[in-house]
Amino acid sequence: MGNSSSSNRISAQDKAILDMKVQRDKLHQYQKRISTITSRETEIARECLRAGNKSGALLALRRKKYQESLLQKTDQQLAQLETLTSDVEFAQVQKDVIFGLQQGTSVLKEIHKEMGGLEKVEMIMGESAEARAYQEEINDMLGGKMSNQDEDDVEDELEAMERNVSGKTAVDSLPNAPSGVVEGELPDVPIETPEQKAKRRREARAARTQAREPIAA
């Protein structure tokens, strides 16, 4: 009976390792395919900024960030599961491994949904009724799935991209010194504090959330 118990334990462990290998292989396939999409989303964000479409640029970067976060989350989860399955006391962590694999499968399905092809990505710049409906759909989906840190990262990337597209540095964007200012002296220029920036971003997010909510009859 001891041998039978040992065989069952090893069988369950081997199966978990195999399931993880399958998930890892899928993740690598998805990483290659999504990298093409995220590269195009970055370029679309630049094109939108050049056209004065800041909301389109923001949407493209938010979608890219969400996709990258999904890949990173799955990669980290698989790394943790690999550590658990190598544990000599596998029986004690077997439930955690099984749950982790189920979670991994669920996230991989989400990633697969994001690979709608480049034609879907191009709709971010579209102005047709179909394109606008798609943009609203993506905005609604992202609204409940991105963390505040992710949103901050996107805002930082957008601001850096705006400066790059306009060919200005942070110093270039400051106003010229008014007449009467002695050379060598800097005029008082209002600078946005971290607290003010955080407040501005919170208000922008709240506005996006309110725009998604249906109007009461």
Side-chain angles (χ1 to χ4, degrees):
M1 291 182 66
N3 290 338
S4 175
S5 175
S6 176
S7 297
N8 288 338
R9 180 178 65 80
I10 293 172
S11 175
Q13 192 167 5
D14 288 345
K15 183 179 185 304
I17 291 172
L18 178 61
D19 288 345
M20 274 192 302
K21 183 180 183 303
V22 171
Q23 287 195 9
R24 174 73 69 186
D25 290 344
K26 279 187 178 180
L27 180 62
H28 287 164
Q29 292 172 11
Y30 291 170
Q31 284 172 329
K32 292 178 182 178
R33 293 170 64 182
I34 282 188
S35 65
T36 301
I37 294 175
T38 54
S39 294
R40 180 57 186 144
E41 284 166 341
T42 301
E43 183 55 36
I44 283 176
R46 291 195 185 95
E47 291 177 20
C48 285
L49 285 177
R50 294 188 191 107
N53 181 7
K54 186 173 180 177
S55 62
L58 180 61
L59 178 59
L61 292 180
R62 291 178 73 222
R63 188 170 187 263
K64 178 174 77 79
K65 181 65 177 180
Y66 171 66
Q67 292 163 337
E68 291 172 343
S69 296
L70 280 179
L71 292 173
Q72 183 180 24
K73 175 183 175 182
T74 308
D75 193 42
Q76 291 173 344
Q77 188 174 41
L78 286 173
Q80 292 171 352
L81 290 178
E82 285 171 1
T83 301
L84 288 176
T85 52
S86 64
D87 195 320
V88 291
E89 299 296 337
F90 177 76
Q92 297 179 13
V93 296
Q94 185 173 349
K95 288 183 179 179
D96 292 334
V97 172
I98 292 173
F99 177 74
L101 288 169
Q102 291 172 342
Q103 292 288 96
T105 299
S106 176
V107 177
L108 284 171
K109 287 180 179 178
E110 280 192 69
I111 295 173
H112 188 265
K113 289 180 183 178
E114 291 301 307
M115 298 189 300
L118 289 175
E119 67 278 0
K120 285 284 188 182
V121 179
E122 301 296 332
M123 292 176 72
I124 292 176
M125 295 191 300
E127 297 183 359
S128 66
E130 181 184 4
R132 292 189 182 280
Y134 175 73
Q135 292 160 15
E136 290 180 11
E137 178 187 344
I138 295 300
N139 255 325
D140 290 345
M141 183 273 291
L142 294 176
K145 296 193 175 184
M146 291 183 67
S147 67
N148 286 337
Q149 182 59 56
D150 285 343
E151 296 281 13
D152 282 340
D153 290 344
V154 170
E155 292 279 359
D156 289 340
E157 184 177 4
L158 179 64
E159 289 172 7
M161 188 177 287
E162 282 184 292
R163 291 193 296 269
N164 181 268
V165 168
S166 65
K168 293 181 179 180
T169 64
V171 174
D172 292 332
S173 62
L174 296 177
N176 294 326
S179 58
V181 174
V182 178
E183 185 176 355
E185 292 184 359
L186 292 177
D188 291 332
V189 178
I191 299 175
E192 188 178 44
T193 65
E195 292 77 13
Q196 289 171 330
K197 178 184 285 189
K199 181 181 179 182
R200 171 171 58 80
R201 290 178 174 182
R202 284 197 304 270
E203 290 173 349
R205 288 170 200 163
R208 286 200 298 268
T209 301
Q210 187 175 10
R212 292 196 307 268
E213 294 175 351
I215 300 174

